[in-house]
Amino acid sequence: MITYNDYKEAADYLRPLVPENTKVAITLGSGLGALADKIEDATVIPYGDIPNFPKSTAIGHKGNLIVGKLDGTLVVAMQGRFHYYEGYTMDKVTFHVRVFKLLGIEYLLVSNAAGGLTTNMKVGTLMIINDHINLLPNPLIGPNIDEFGPRFSDMTRPYDREMIAAAKEVGQDLGINLEEGVYVGWTGPSYETPAECNYLRTIGGNAIGMSTVPEVIVARHASMRVFGVSVITNENYHFSDDYVNDGDDVIVQADAASEYMSKIFSGLIRTLK
C-alpha cells in the first residue's frame, strides 16, 4: 500500500526541478504526447528516475515528465499516463496526481483518446468533458489519507465550469469546433463490443476510454481544479460489417488532433490565475 511518505519522497525529488510557482499540470494521453514537444526550456525527467513512480507501458506513451513553459506559462506535463489495464493498482494509476498536489499544482488538465458513442462524435472531434461515468474501481477505496482530502469527497462538479467556459471562448476565437459530453471510464484493454457501446450510450455516455476518470477523482479529492478533453479517434456507433477498432489507428488519429489540442490548452492556460 502506498503511504503519504511515498508521495512525499517523489515530490521531494522533483521539487528542485519544478519551479516553485508552477501551478498547472497536464496529463497527455495516447498519441498526444507531441504537445509536450512544444514546451520550451524543457527539463525531461524519465519516470524511472522518480522515486516510487510507475512506468508507462501503453502504446503512444513515452514515459517522461516534462517541466518548462507552454506559451510562456510554467507547466509540468505527463508524456504518458498509467492505466488499470497495465496491472497497476489504482493508487499507482493516480500516483502522479498526489505528487503534483504536494508540489503546489492547482490546475490539472487531462486529455485522452476516446471512442465516440454518439453520432456527433466524429473522428477528429475534440470533446470537452463536462461529466463522467466511472466504471473503473474508485481510486479512493481503502484508508483515507487525510493530508490530501476528506473521506467522502464531493463530485458534483468534477470538471471546472469556469475552465470549460474559458476553453470554449478560446475555441471560438481560434475557429476550432469543440463538442461537450460525458466520458465513460472503462477498464480495457479490450475494446468494447457493439452491445456494450449501446449500453454505454443508453446510460448517458458520449465517449468511452480507459483512463482519466481515476486521475480526476483523486484531483478533486485534493481540491485541484480540473479540465478535460477527449480526442475522438474511432466511431463506436455504426459497426459496419468490415469495421474494427485498431490501436495503431487510434494513435494516428490522436497525433492528427494534437495541434488543435495544443492550441486549446495553451489558450486556456493563459486565462488561469
Side-chain angles (χ1 to χ4, degrees):
M1 181 179 296
I2 296 176
T3 67
Y4 180 80
N5 286 335
D6 294 325
Y7 298 111
K8 186 175 182 301
E9 184 180 6
D12 288 346
Y13 173 85
L14 290 171
R15 192 163 283 110
L17 305 172
V18 180
E20 187 175 352
N21 55 341
T22 304
K23 301 298 182 185
V24 179
I26 307 170
T27 302
L28 300 169
S30 299
L32 298 168
L35 191 151
D37 296 335
K38 300 182 181 298
I39 295 176
E40 300 174 339
D41 303 324
T43 299
V44 180
I45 310 163
Y47 293 162
D49 291 353
I50 306 170
N52 308 315
F53 237 65
K55 295 181 180 179
S56 184
T57 67
I59 298 172
H61 294 246
K62 292 186 177 180
N64 294 317
L65 192 69
I66 314 294
V67 180
K69 293 182 179 180
L70 184 61
D71 203 19
T73 300
L74 288 167
V75 299
V76 56
M78 295 279 292
Q79 200 174 23
R81 56 156 56 90
F82 319 112
H83 303 81
Y84 185 62
Y85 66 72
E86 294 174 80
Y88 289 122
T89 57
M90 275 299 172
D91 51 2
K92 279 289 188 180
V93 169
T94 59
F95 186 86
H96 59 288
V97 179
R98 285 176 165 169
V99 173
F100 290 160
K101 177 66 177 182
L102 292 178
L103 291 172
I105 297 298
E106 297 177 5
Y107 302 95
L108 178 65
L109 280 61
V110 292
S111 68
N112 59 61
L117 293 171
T118 51
T119 55
N120 60 323
M121 299 301 167
K122 309 289 187 186
V123 169
T125 298
L126 296 184
M127 184 191 86
I128 294 176
I129 306 173
N130 58 25
D131 206 343
H132 68 234
I133 297 170
N134 184 33
L135 297 179
L136 290 152
N138 192 301
L140 301 181
I141 292 172
N144 188 59
I145 302 180
D146 296 335
E147 290 90 342
F148 289 114
R151 168 78 282 186
F152 302 103
S153 57
D154 177 57
M155 290 295 290
T156 308
R157 289 171 291 279
Y159 301 89
D160 191 275
R161 293 177 179 177
E162 290 183 7
M163 294 170 73
I164 289 174
K168 290 168 71 174
E169 287 189 15
V170 170
Q172 187 173 21
D173 291 344
L174 294 174
I176 298 173
N177 180 57
L178 295 171
E179 297 285 345
E180 280 191 60
V182 175
Y183 177 85
V184 182
W186 187 256
T187 65
S190 55
Y191 288 113
E192 309 75 38
T193 69
E196 287 168 339
C197 290
N198 288 337
Y199 161 69
L200 298 171
R201 188 182 309 110
T202 299
I203 66 173
N206 298 104
I208 174 71
M210 304 171 190
S211 67
T212 302
V213 173
E215 298 164 54
V216 173
I217 291 173
V218 169
R220 292 301 302 135
H221 177 251
S223 299
M224 298 167 70
R225 297 175 64 182
V226 177
F227 173 78
V229 173
S230 293
V231 177
I232 305 303
T233 54
N234 46 306
E235 298 170 357
N236 292 349
Y237 48 78
H238 52 72
F239 295 110
S240 60
D241 288 344
D242 59 350
Y243 180 85
V244 295
N245 276 314
D246 184 290
D248 291 335
D249 189 53
V250 165
I251 303 303
V252 170
Q253 297 299 336
D255 281 338
S258 63
E259 183 66 29
Y260 292 130
M261 176 78 75
S262 177
K263 290 179 179 180
I264 295 297
F265 274 22
S266 296
L268 173 61
I269 288 170
R270 287 195 297 269
T271 72
L272 303 179
K273 306 298 181 183

